[in-house]
Amino acid sequence: MSRLLLVGGGAAALVVAAIAWQSGRPSSSEFFVGKTKPPEAAPVCPWREPEVDLKLSFPNASRYELENHPLSGSRLELAERLGRALAPDENLLPVYRIYGETGAVGAVLTRRVKGTHGAIEVVIATDLRDQVCGLRLQRLREPEGVARALENPEWLRSFHGKTAGSGWDLGRDIPEVPPEARASAAAIAEGARSALILLAGTARSPSNAPVKAPHH
Amino acid sequence: MTMFLLASRNLVRRPLRSALTLAGLSLGVAVLACLYSFGNGYKRALSGELDRMGVQLMLVPLGCPYDAAARVLKGKELDNSLPETALEEARRDPAVAVAAPLLMVALPRPHEGRADMWVGLDESALELKPWWRVSSGQKWFPDEAAVILGCDAAEIEMRAPGDDFFSPETGANLKVTGVLERSGTSDDSLFFVPLRTAQKMFQQPGRVTAIAIRLRDPELLRGASERLQQIPGAQVVTLTEMMGTFLSLLGAVRTLLLSLAFVALAISVLSVFNTLLAAVVERTNELSVMRAIGASRAQIVRLIATEALLLSGAGSVLGILLALSFGRGIENLVKGFLPMVPTQSLLSPTFTIGLQSLVIGVAVGVLGGLYPAWRASRLHPAAALKAE
């Protein structure tokens, strides 16, 4: 008993020492000190106003749950579908799973995209078939004319029904916007398309099983 | 060596009791080590941050000077402002080497839980911030429609040199000309624009919120303070005064927390005392037999004292390791209560602090073991025979 206790105590002390040593080392983000990360690796975009989006896209929702889907196992396949390499912040896809009284009713994804005049944060709501059922800009800093065009309800509704495999060309599959809003509009469309491709990627590979966060 | 083995065997005979005593002692030592480390770290981080400002004086609008200067240092806006004539007067003072105006305005973004912090500067700011480095783009504004972003601000806004940057609240459309390297200061999250641009954007023509001043010679501080104090509407705050105020505030908090740590250590003394006394009472026969077969009183004292030493030594080491592991959590907790929080880490664990905590922890243990040791040594050999 006493030996067991001594060995156990020694092991615990070693673990604590290891944690202490580890806490003194720079975190991985500190290795970037002095280097500005590329814009694609923007900080994870939070979901700022769940109540607003739930009311708009899922009026019967009763709760939501955050699932973090690791995507590192299917990087090559996803890169092929996206037509570009995955950004470092795309290794993990946060998906807000929405539940009604009878079960899951859809999901919400958020993306931060590079608008012409600043970052634009897009909230994409999808139904159970991974089709867009709502799209809202939760944050943007575009001039008034551009903002008006991008936040036009008709334009935002044109995304409804789109899936990862749909056409996403501005002017053909999505209504055209004034020239000064074109770059930002294209960024929003590309952001939504990327989010849907990544969402579809979470269902393809068993290694992408979600890590659930606490209930909300 | 035999005494050491005997003492350690005695301790593991009652593992739960020893473990609980160890836990109590280690917690007390951990709190003490954290507080020592925190106090030193705060002082070092604060003076480092103030040194990097490269200023000895801050000219702020009338009001609470410490609040005003702290707000400027922390990158928060002030409620009132100074006329730009104060800047001219400050620059005329013979003791002033650099007087840099600042116009700071916060545009709250409640949905995002943060504020856009805009800072208007003129070129004199570069003399105060020689350590300013850009990771990309230019170090200074080529024209009035330019903005330089702190690295965190650029990351959140996804901006790089050459990109447009719009301020919806003021209607200003700017061009990003540079992104700063990470400095570990509040600069990382700020938007810097030329002073004139800031004055136009926020409709504050001819106004500044503070003037940072570096003297030709720090020895001239007193005279310069007295003269600058005469500028109408302005008041002078020396950074030494500010640091003194912050440190005395910290001192008060630290005294309170140290009192709590010493109460925890006092409880540890009682815990060691209780553990060893109970062990002595339980082992009356055994100790009496030891005396009967020739153990001297000094040897019995040494035995119990070694047990106290082992308990307190192990508890102190564990406490120091706990402090190293969970110090960051305690730091984050305490940061919320401080008036001016430097951005760098406030914990500064050193070998001396570890040694001090170890010595105090061991002393506490030995103190708790004194009476049980004395009592054990007073046992008469006859007690063993009587019990038999």
Side-chain angles (χ1 to χ4, degrees):
Chain A
M1 175 66 185
S2 59
R3 269 190 193 166
L4 192 71
L5 201 80
L6 277 175
V7 171
L14 275 176
V15 168
V16 173
I19 293 169
W21 177 74
Q22 188 66 27
S23 69
R25 296 177 65 193
S27 66
S28 58
S29 64
E30 284 176 286
F31 288 118
F32 285 98
V33 169
K35 290 177 188 169
T36 306
K37 290 180 199 172
E40 289 75 18
V44 173
C45 176
W47 188 15
R48 299 191 187 279
E49 296 160 301
E51 301 79 20
V52 175
D53 294 301
L54 289 177
K55 201 173 163 187
L56 282 174
S57 305
F58 302 102
N60 297 322
S62 55
R63 67 188 174 93
Y64 67 90
E65 217 170 63
L66 172 62
E67 297 172 359
N68 284 308
H69 292 264
L71 296 175
S72 36
S74 31
R75 281 181 69 87
L76 292 177
E77 185 200 337
L78 288 170
E80 199 176 317
R81 295 198 69 200
L82 287 168
R84 60 170 172 83
L86 262 73
D89 61 327
E90 289 174 329
N91 279 327
L92 194 74
L93 182 71
V95 177
Y96 298 90
R97 192 71 61 194
I98 314 299
Y99 293 90
E101 294 304 326
T102 52
V105 291
V108 165
L109 302 161
T110 56
R111 298 290 287 177
R112 184 182 270 123
V113 299
K114 185 171 178 169
T116 309
H117 297 90
I120 298 175
E121 290 179 1
V122 191
V123 180
I124 307 130
T126 63
D127 60 19
L128 291 175
R129 287 170 297 170
D130 288 353
Q131 285 184 343
V132 176
C133 60
L135 193 131
R136 190 174 76 87
L137 308 182
Q138 65 174 0
R139 173 197 195 270
L140 80 169
R141 56 185 319 139
E142 301 295 311
E144 205 183 331
V146 177
R148 207 181 310 118
L150 299 179
E151 288 181 317
N152 179 346
E154 281 305 312
W155 190 73
L156 292 175
R157 244 194 307 276
S158 69
F159 286 86
H160 285 209
K162 292 220 171 285
T163 63
S166 303
W168 289 86
D169 282 344
L170 199 60
R172 196 178 66 191
D173 308 307
I174 297 164
E176 191 56 273
V177 291
E180 65 272 19
R182 208 169 193 285
S184 294
I188 292 168
E190 175 53 26
R193 185 185 82 95
S194 304
L196 291 180
I197 289 173
L198 297 180
L199 180 65
T202 62
R204 280 163 193 263
S205 165
S207 67
N208 299 344
V211 180
K212 286 190 179 179
H215 290 245
H216 294 265
Chain B
M1 190 61 195
T2 317
M3 190 69 81
F4 183 82
L5 277 176
L6 201 59
S8 54
R9 275 184 195 152
N10 283 337
L11 287 176
V12 293
R13 271 159 73 181
R14 296 279 181 273
L16 185 64
R17 193 160 63 193
S18 300
L20 286 174
T21 310
L22 209 65
L25 196 64
S26 60
L27 278 178
V29 171
V31 173
L32 191 71
C34 271
L35 287 176
Y36 271 144
S37 168
F38 185 76
N40 289 353
Y42 184 75
K43 194 172 175 180
R44 178 185 46 77
L46 189 61
S47 59
E49 191 138 320
L50 296 183
D51 275 353
R52 273 200 290 174
M53 291 282 294
V55 296
Q56 288 104 12
L57 289 172
M58 194 73 89
L59 213 55
V60 294
L62 285 172
C64 172
Y66 300 116
D67 178 57
R71 290 177 81 84
V72 169
L73 287 174
K74 283 159 86 176
K76 291 185 176 173
E77 77 171 335
L78 292 181
D79 299 330
N80 45 9
S81 59
L82 284 169
E84 228 172 321
T85 48
L87 176 66
E88 289 150 26
E89 284 189 55
R91 281 178 173 161
R92 274 201 297 270
D93 191 285
V96 172
V98 184
L102 301 164
L103 178 64
M104 304 184 102
V105 179
L107 293 176
R109 293 183 160 253
H111 293 316
E112 297 170 36
R114 65 179 198 94
D116 282 355
M117 268 309 304
W118 292 86
V119 183
L121 304 169
D122 77 2
E123 281 195 46
S124 54
L126 282 179
E127 292 178 63
L128 294 181
K129 294 174 184 264
W131 41 268
W132 244 36
R133 300 269 183 279
V134 284
S135 58
S136 55
Q138 299 174 38
K139 195 178 175 177
W140 195 250
F141 314 104
D143 55 55
E144 286 201 356
V147 58
I148 291 174
L149 301 176
C151 60
D152 289 341
E155 203 173 88
I156 288 172
E157 296 298 343
M158 304 180 83
R159 297 296 90 182
D163 287 344
D164 287 334
F165 189 59
F166 185 67
S167 162
E169 296 83 356
T170 62
N173 195 9
L174 307 161
K175 187 72 83 181
V176 178
T177 53
V179 174
L180 295 180
E181 274 187 11
R182 189 174 296 282
S183 66
T185 67
S186 54
D187 285 6
D188 293 349
S189 53
L190 302 181
F191 307 152
F192 296 96
V193 288
L195 181 65
R196 295 280 164 256
T197 308
Q199 288 172 336
K200 278 183 209 159
M201 281 171 72
F202 304 106
Q203 288 149 13
Q204 296 271 322
R207 309 292 296 184
V208 295
T209 42
I211 300 169
I213 293 172
R214 189 167 71 211
L215 300 174
R216 291 182 199 288
D217 181 351
E219 301 271 311
L220 303 169
L221 183 70
R222 197 165 169 185
S225 294
E226 283 169 8
R227 285 192 300 276
L228 294 169
Q229 195 74 56
Q230 305 305 316
I231 297 175
Q235 60 187 334
V236 173
V237 186
T238 67
L239 292 201
T240 325
E241 281 170 354
M242 274 183 63
M243 195 166 150
T245 309
F246 293 141
L247 287 178
S248 63
L249 274 172
L250 176 75
V253 176
R254 210 174 147 212
T255 307
L256 180 74
L257 293 175
L258 272 175
S259 314
L260 290 176
F262 279 112
V263 168
L265 285 174
I267 294 170
S268 303
V269 172
L270 292 176
S271 173
V272 173
F273 172 85
N274 183 47
T275 302
L276 293 180
L277 193 62
V280 167
V281 171
E282 276 173 10
R283 285 153 51 202
T284 302
N285 281 355
E286 182 187 319
L287 293 167
S288 303
V289 168
M290 283 175 74
R291 289 278 289 122
I293 60 174
S296 67
R297 283 186 170 161
Q299 280 173 319
I300 298 292
V301 168
R302 267 176 60 202
L303 176 67
I304 304 296
T306 308
E307 285 178 29
L309 204 65
L310 276 174
L311 257 183
S312 54
S316 304
V317 170
L318 202 62
I320 291 165
L321 291 175
L322 275 175
L324 286 171
S325 310
F326 301 107
R328 297 269 173 248
I330 295 174
E331 178 186 342
N332 290 338
L333 198 73
V334 178
K335 267 183 172 178
F337 297 99
L338 290 173
M340 159 83 191
V341 185
T343 38
Q344 62 200 98
S345 173
L346 303 187
L347 277 178
S348 165
T350 59
F351 177 73
T352 317
I353 289 171
L355 195 67
Q356 276 176 348
S357 308
L358 187 73
V359 167
I360 292 176
V362 169
V364 159
V366 172
L367 192 69
L370 281 181
Y371 176 73
W374 178 80
R375 185 166 161 169
S377 73
R378 306 306 297 170
L379 288 172
H380 200 276
L385 301 173
K386 271 184 200 165
E388 289 302 315

